[in-house]
Amino acid sequence: MDEKEKITEYINAIYQNIKTAVQSIEDIIPKVTDSKFQKELASEQDKYLALEKECEVFAKAEKIEGIKDNNWFEKAKLWSSINMSTMTDKTTRHIAELMLLGTFMGFLTCIKDQADHQGVSSELDELLTNLKSLERKNIDALLPFLV
């Protein structure tokens, strides 16, 4: 695999992690009734969208055409999972638990992506570090909604 392919693979991994978070929040916010929780999720979404934009700017600068969002099957699976899980339980606690599980999965994905793409791009390493830091902060911010 040449350098550009490695960079493209790396940026796509980061981008898809971010897009999963954005989609999850978009799908779940309409189900949230607690205004404080809604504000937290909206704040998280804004931060993910800023990182998404950074990915797009990086891709454009590197002449990487069309970084890839998650495929329609992954999107449908996520949407179905959220809707099935909240069909009978729309409590703040339950939704916070779902968000925590997803956020922790995103955090773990960051760790794996970091290991899988060592030495590929220091700029992307920094972007991934920022995403990982955001995921960690979001975990801390979501925990109080469990009680």
Side-chain angles (χ1 to χ4, degrees):
M1 187 180 299
D2 75 4
E3 179 89 12
K4 184 146 183 164
E5 288 173 325
K6 289 178 185 177
I7 290 173
T8 300
E9 181 183 276
Y10 194 10
I11 188 75
N12 277 317
I14 296 168
Y15 191 71
Q16 289 171 359
N17 191 339
I18 293 167
K19 293 296 280 184
T20 299
V22 169
Q23 182 192 344
S24 296
I25 294 170
E26 283 175 2
D27 291 346
I28 218 147
I29 275 186
K31 299 172 183 325
V32 175
T33 56
D34 181 294
S35 62
K36 189 175 174 186
F37 190 31
Q38 282 179 331
K39 285 178 189 169
E40 174 57 35
L41 293 176
S43 172
E44 290 180 14
Q45 184 176 31
D46 288 344
K47 291 170 187 162
Y48 283 117
L49 288 170
L51 288 175
E52 178 182 325
K53 190 70 174 162
E54 284 185 49
C55 284
E56 292 165 354
V57 167
F58 177 87
K60 187 174 183 175
E62 293 292 320
K63 296 179 176 45
I64 297 169
E65 305 237 349
I67 50 178
K68 293 181 174 72
D69 192 353
N70 295 306
N71 65 43
W72 69 268
F73 180 74
E74 289 299 319
K75 289 180 179 185
K77 195 167 82 170
L78 179 59
W79 181 86
S80 298
S81 173
I82 289 170
N83 282 295
M84 292 299 288
S85 187
T86 57
M87 192 177 291
T88 58
D89 188 352
K90 291 181 179 83
T91 62
T92 296
R93 179 184 218 177
H94 180 68
I95 293 172
E97 181 180 3
L98 292 176
M99 291 304 300
L100 277 160
L101 291 169
T103 304
F104 192 69
M105 286 174 55
F107 183 77
L108 294 176
T109 299
C110 287
I111 293 168
K112 293 189 297 185
D113 286 340
Q114 197 169 27
D116 292 346
H117 299 96
Q118 288 181 345
V120 171
S121 164
S122 59
E123 286 180 77
L124 289 178
D125 289 343
E126 185 177 331
L127 186 57
L128 183 66
T129 297
N130 292 342
L131 175 57
K132 191 166 76 170
S133 175
L134 174 60
E135 299 277 28
R136 185 68 197 129
K137 288 175 187 169
N138 290 347
I139 289 168
D140 293 337
L142 290 168
L143 284 171
F145 292 100
L146 287 177
V147 293

